[in-house]
Amino acid sequence: MVLTTEAVVQEKADTAIPVTTMSPPEGNTTFIDGKTWCVAHPGVSQADLQNALDWACGLGMADCREIQEGGLCFNPDTLLSHASYAFNNYYQQNGNSDIACNFGGAATITKNNPSYGKCSYSTSGSVSSSAPPSSKHDPSYMWWKLAVLLLLLYFGS
């Protein structure tokens, strides 16, 4: 009987010892093998890309000044190019985690630097801008637009 009690005690002791494992933070792909960027997925519908771009530059607070007319990343003036820039800006500012590069499935992580010409895709979250601050992709414009819409809905009914 003493033997049985010791065996039970030993089992409980074994299960109570925590096992510590070292691993990178979940979803942080830059921790594993260098720099990564977040770009728009080419197979996504234009409507989904536009919705994701509007969110990134609005509520997501990505710095979208460079994809405004006159910005270093305005050309090519395509939805895919502008969305890629905005998605990457948001991704870099939000810890380079997988979840920060989702946009409802409209984006993907790449190890290939998407920068071109004078358009530099940041890997640090800090982006300098040469474009003027007002545009349809400027967060303050998006907030103003949302406020007007809410007022119209409230007073229009």
Side-chain angles (χ1 to χ4, degrees):
M1 194 149 195
V2 172
L3 228 172
T4 307
T5 307
E6 287 178 17
V8 172
V9 172
Q10 182 62 38
E11 278 184 290
K12 288 183 180 178
D14 286 344
T15 58
I17 298 172
V19 178
T20 305
T21 58
M22 301 298 285
S23 63
E26 186 177 329
N28 190 341
T29 55
T30 58
F31 194 93
I32 298 169
D33 59 355
K35 297 178 181 178
T36 56
W37 294 263
C38 178
V39 295
H41 213 302
V44 175
S45 75
Q46 296 288 299
D48 287 344
L49 273 181
Q50 186 65 60
N51 287 335
L53 173 62
D54 290 344
W55 184 89
C57 294
L59 295 175
M61 298 180 65
D63 183 355
C64 296
R65 292 176 289 179
E66 289 298 345
I67 56 175
Q68 297 173 24
E69 193 167 352
L72 294 176
C73 302
F74 179 74
N75 287 315
D77 183 12
T78 65
L79 184 56
L80 188 67
S81 178
H82 289 187
S84 290
Y85 184 87
F87 294 171
N88 185 66
N89 186 275
Y90 178 85
Y91 171 70
Q92 300 301 332
Q93 290 183 18
N94 288 280
N96 305 73
S97 68
D98 292 347
I99 191 114
C101 184
N102 187 320
F103 298 95
T108 186
I109 294 172
T110 182
K111 294 178 187 176
N112 300 320
N113 186 344
S115 300
Y116 57 92
K118 292 183 179 182
C119 179
S120 178
Y121 280 60
S122 171
T123 56
S124 65
S126 61
V127 179
S128 62
S129 176
S130 63
S134 61
S135 167
K136 66 179 181 179
H137 299 303
D138 183 18
S140 62
Y141 174 81
M142 296 300 290
W143 281 111
W144 178 83
K145 190 175 175 182
L146 179 62
V148 169
L149 179 62
L150 289 173
L151 286 172
L152 287 172
L153 288 172
Y154 181 76
F155 290 111
S157 324

